[in-house]
């Protein structure tokens, strides 16, 4: 498995928020496409070629997801959008390849977390999570195939 441990600084992002059950995933896909279409509303986007998917497993039957773009300080929040500020974190980063099984990629990440001996997924103390990989940040290139995407996965981690 080809992975890296990376540190990213804090950043501000703006976009659309979705919260739902796993059975409602088709609605999330529509929201992601809507955010992609609205990216032009973000005049101070850092990079509109990379759409972010920030997932937080705060429900037993699903999760909260922000489909966003990183933005600069001058960016106003367009109607219907939300702001999220991501603190600086250390991440486990891996690339999911087109044609691969996303579930298998996440299973490999979880197996690595159990066996590596040095790092564990980050569980923020003020939240209750319902997944062994509670926070998942994904970075999608603009040229991805929505039905068979390639993207980078970032899992916030901390030392054991």
């Amino acid at each position: 498995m080809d992975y890296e441990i990376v540190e990213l600084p804090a950043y501000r992002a703006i976009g659309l928020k979705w919260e739902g059950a796993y059975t409602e995933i088709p609605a999330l896909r529509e929201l992601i496409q809507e955010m992609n279409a609205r990216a032009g509303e973000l005049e101070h986007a850092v990079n509109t070629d990379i759409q972010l998917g920030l997932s937080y497993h705060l429900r037993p039957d699903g999760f909260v997801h922000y489909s966003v773009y990183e933005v600069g300080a001058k960016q106003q929040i367009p109607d219907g959008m939300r702001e999220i500020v991501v603190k600086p974190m250390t991440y486990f980063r891996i690339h999911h390849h087109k044609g691969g099984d996303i579930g298998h990629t996440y299973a490999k990440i979880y197996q690595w977390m159990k066996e590596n001996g040095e790092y564990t997924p980050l569980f923020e103390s003020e939240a209750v999570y319902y997944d062994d990989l509670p926070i998942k940040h994904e970075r999608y290139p603009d040229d991805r195939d929505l039905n068979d995407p390639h993207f980078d996965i970032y899992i916030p981690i901390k030392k054991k």
Side-chain angles (χ1 to χ4, degrees):
M1 183 167 62
D2 193 20
Y3 69 89
E4 289 182 282
I5 304 299
V6 298
E7 293 194 24
L8 295 181
Y11 63 91
R12 177 178 182 239
I14 291 177
L16 300 174
K17 179 183 177 184
W18 177 87
E19 181 174 344
Y22 293 111
T23 57
E24 300 170 25
I25 294 292
L28 172 58
R29 287 192 182 113
E30 290 175 18
L31 179 125
I32 291 168
Q33 290 175 348
E34 178 185 349
M35 187 60 231
N36 191 353
R38 292 185 65 186
E41 295 177 40
L42 301 173
E43 298 171 7
H44 299 284
V46 172
N47 182 357
T48 56
D49 292 336
I50 302 292
Q51 186 174 7
L52 309 177
L54 312 178
S55 296
Y56 300 85
H57 293 266
L58 300 169
R59 310 170 42 134
D61 66 336
F63 57 99
V64 176
H65 181 88
Y66 296 87
S67 181
V68 297
Y69 289 88
E70 185 177 350
V71 296
K74 293 181 180 179
Q75 179 64 55
Q76 297 294 312
I77 302 171
D79 288 343
M81 292 192 193
R82 302 263 181 112
E83 173 186 54
I84 183 169
V85 176
V86 179
K87 65 184 181 181
M89 289 190 264
T90 302
Y91 293 88
F92 173 95
R93 179 175 67 190
I94 189 169
H95 184 74
H96 173 76
H97 296 280
K98 182 178 176 62
D101 179 285
I102 295 169
H104 180 67
T105 300
Y106 274 110
K108 288 191 316 186
I109 294 168
Y110 178 66
Q111 190 65 33
W112 182 88
M113 293 286 176
K114 286 186 356 184
E115 296 174 354
N116 81 82
E118 187 175 356
Y119 294 98
T120 187
L122 176 68
F123 285 78
E124 296 172 313
S125 60
E126 66 275 4
V128 175
Y129 293 104
Y130 297 92
D131 192 277
D132 293 325
L133 298 173
I135 305 170
K136 299 174 175 87
H137 291 181
E138 299 172 341
R139 293 179 177 240
Y140 304 98
D142 193 44
D143 66 350
R144 72 191 180 278
D145 176 347
L146 293 173
N147 296 313
D148 185 15
H150 64 284
F151 57 95
D152 289 330
I153 298 170
Y154 290 74
I155 303 295
I157 56 176
K158 66 178 184 175
K159 293 228 181 212
K160 288 184 179 178

